[in-house]
Amino acid sequence: NGSIPNGKERLKSGKKIWIALALGTFFSTLLYFLFSMGVLGSAPLVTQDTVSGLFSWPSWKRNIIATIGLFAVWTVSVPLSRELRNALEKDLRWNHWLARFAIVGIPIVAVALGFDNFLSVISLAGGLFLSTQYLLILSVGVRALSFSRMQKIFLAATASLFIFAAIYSVYSFVVK
């Protein structure tokens, strides 16, 4: 109807948002937990090659673990890629196709170039893309809000940590 919501409507809407966030976090955590327990329970000693040991399992068990793992990855990758796309397109004003290539194409190119060790790629993606995401959030916040001198120092220190994490991820992925 286009009217401005009153206090009760805003409170009700705010509660719905928090319930959705809480449920989403709970189910994502549950998926990660189930996947982790499935992999950790697959062998007495978990190594980088543990996943290949799952091939000795019955196919129904492998399919369940694979499905849980797929949903666990999906719960993180879809929201992050949407956030990253919005940050690149709207905040940094990147071209629509360039932003899409950065999100979808760069990982495909990396695998095509031989970067196909699952644990290394996940480590790189986590360190690099999460750091980049939070750096983008910080940069948008700095542009949109005014901060005290102490807050700016804290933000610069936080940004430095994310930059260090991204550099370390790339270093450990490429050099090691």
Side-chain angles (χ1 to χ4, degrees):
N1 87 39
S3 65
I4 298 174
N6 64 29
K8 287 183 182 179
E9 290 172 343
R10 281 193 301 243
L11 184 62
K12 190 174 180 180
S13 176
K15 284 182 182 178
K16 286 182 182 179
I17 290 171
W18 282 109
I19 289 170
L21 287 172
L23 288 174
T25 302
F26 171 76
F27 285 116
S28 295
T29 303
L30 180 64
L31 285 171
Y32 274 99
F33 177 76
L34 292 173
F35 178 72
S36 299
M37 290 300 101
V39 171
L40 292 174
S42 69
L45 177 65
V46 177
T47 64
Q48 285 189 357
D49 200 32
T50 297
V51 175
S52 66
L54 299 179
F55 288 105
S56 64
W57 284 17
S59 65
W60 67 270
K61 277 187 176 181
R62 284 194 322 259
N63 292 339
I64 289 172
I65 290 296
T67 302
I68 291 171
L70 181 64
F71 280 122
V73 170
W74 180 77
T75 61
V76 171
S77 63
V78 169
L80 285 178
S81 62
R82 289 180 58 108
E83 248 184 79
L84 186 58
R85 184 200 72 209
N86 287 337
L88 293 174
E89 289 178 7
K90 294 178 181 172
D91 299 329
L92 297 179
R93 293 182 171 80
W94 279 28
N95 174 289
H96 170 78
W97 293 107
L98 182 60
R100 297 278 196 276
F101 175 76
I103 295 165
V104 176
I106 291 175
I108 292 170
V109 169
V111 169
L113 291 174
F115 298 113
D116 56 0
N117 180 308
F118 179 74
L119 294 176
S120 296
V121 171
I122 292 299
S123 296
L124 175 67
L128 185 61
F129 292 123
L130 286 176
S131 294
T132 303
Q133 175 191 8
Y134 287 110
L135 284 170
L136 289 170
I137 290 170
L138 286 174
S139 68
V140 168
V142 167
R143 287 183 186 170
L145 305 169
S146 59
F147 294 102
S148 69
R149 185 168 192 240
M150 189 54 96
Q151 289 171 324
K152 288 179 183 177
I153 291 170
F154 178 74
L155 286 173
T158 304
S160 298
L161 287 174
F162 288 126
I163 291 169
F164 175 75
I167 291 170
Y168 179 77
S169 293
V170 171
Y171 169 78
S172 64
F173 181 74
V174 174
V175 176
K176 292 182 182 182

